[in-house]
Amino acid sequence: MGSGSPSSTISTILSPRPSIEFDSSWVLSSRRISSSTWVISETSRIWRIYFLKPSIFDAVIHFAGLKAVGESVANPRRYFDNNLIGTINLYEIMAKYNCKKMVFSSSATVYGQPEKIPCVEDFQLMAMNPYGRTKLFLEEIARDIQKAEPEWRIILLRYFNPVGAHESGRIGEDPKGIPNNLMPYIQQVAVGRLPELNVYGHDYPTRDGSAIRDYIHVMDLADGHIAALRKLFTTEDIGCTAYNLGTGCGTSVLEMVAAFEKASGKKIPIKLCPRRPGDATEVFASTEKAENELGWKAKYGVEEMCRDQWNWASNNPWGYQPEP
């Protein structure tokens, strides 16, 4: 955050690993936003950002992290190294330069498989996989830091399942390799990059046998971050507080496939596969706390999510890569 107010920003992207160099700030903004891409676990590189301009940061939105459940089960040490150690590095640097306001990207995975739904922020937390545990550990670290140093203001945003793209079709998700998340996987099948969609789990005790999640449009998620920043700057006693960001509605994997088929006009071939280790049956959010305290509520439904995802995919079938 640039100094002055939550609307004056300098974006520093702390990436979990090197990515395609693409500065999208000019595409949709009337002014260029300064951005830098670093690997969060490389402390010396983050120090350099602060050393060059130590006085410009009033707050940090921290959403650098590895985030695939299945990958975390197969390679937990990679997740602990990047997500945990990288964030501890970031706290150290923020503290040195007295930047003590953070919006942290947590996750609905901290709830594990809750005993009841919707998930409320004060539920007992019980992550089911290494990725979720990194988010749970980092929430505990945030609470410990804020308790020891009360001048910190930290908001933990528990994302449910972000999907979609900007309505312009010019900015969207472009994962490398076979996607780990449902919607980019569906879109790659729809544009012909992959032959079929693997549906992991078709024997869950749900209405159609597939897992149920709370999908949220990325533009609603972006608005949630703005609302969280405003809260940090206007509430001195915020402490360390968690908020769910979701719609409050559950959609099954097969329902999402059907919705995308309707939006795209494409048939999505599917392959029914066994459940993945670490996946919950059904999770969706209670959003009352975010509505009441942040003044935020999701505006978009599944239809708009699929519409905008397809608009991005159909205009950019190979993402940011040149067509092979």
Side-chain angles (χ1 to χ4, degrees), residues 211-239:
I212 291 176
R213 296 291 183 268
D214 187 341
Y215 297 95
I216 175 174
H217 198 295
V218 291
M219 299 308 296
D220 280 328
L221 196 70
D223 287 341
H225 288 78
I226 295 170
L229 281 174
R230 290 197 179 107
K231 187 73 171 176
L232 283 184
F233 279 88
T234 58
T235 310
E236 290 186 7
D237 61 348
I238 187 71

Side-chain angles (χ1 to χ4, degrees), residues 11 70 75 120 172 199 240 242 251 318:
S11 170
N75 194 353
V120 179
V199 175
C240 180
T251 303
W318 292 92

Side-chain angles (χ1 to χ4, degrees), residues 4-126:
S5 72
S7 62
S8 174
T9 64
I10 291 194
S11 170
T12 301
I13 304 167
L14 301 173
S15 173
R17 56 182 177 265
S19 59
I20 299 170
E21 289 299 323
F22 174 72
D23 181 5
S24 62
S25 62
W26 59 272
V27 175
L28 300 171
S29 175
S30 59
R31 60 191 176 91
R32 183 175 291 274
I33 300 172
S34 173
S35 64
S36 303
T37 303
W38 307 111
V39 179
I40 191 171
S41 57
E42 294 180 2
T43 314
S44 61
R45 305 294 295 274
I46 309 174
W47 277 105
R48 185 179 171 210
I49 297 171
Y50 276 86
F51 178 75
L52 291 174
K53 296 181 178 179
S55 63
I56 63 172
F57 297 98
D58 294 324
V60 169
I61 300 176
H62 173 29
F63 34 45
L66 301 172
K67 66 176 185 67
V69 168
E71 182 186 50
S72 78
V73 173
N75 194 353
R77 285 190 292 110
R78 183 169 184 240
Y79 276 67
F80 299 149
D81 176 58
N82 186 87
N83 294 7
L84 296 179
I85 296 173
T87 300
I88 292 169
N89 291 341
L90 182 59
Y91 274 120
E92 290 298 312
I93 296 164
M94 290 175 66
K96 178 176 176 63
Y97 289 102
N98 200 35
C99 176
K100 296 188 175 182
K101 297 183 182 71
M102 178 187 281
V103 176
F104 173 65
S105 300
S106 189
S107 167
T109 56
V110 299
Y111 293 114
Q113 179 56 65
E115 294 182 0
K116 60 181 181 178
I117 44 180
C119 298
V120 179
E121 286 85 349
D122 62 2
F123 274 11
Q124 181 181 356
L125 305 179
M126 52 182 87

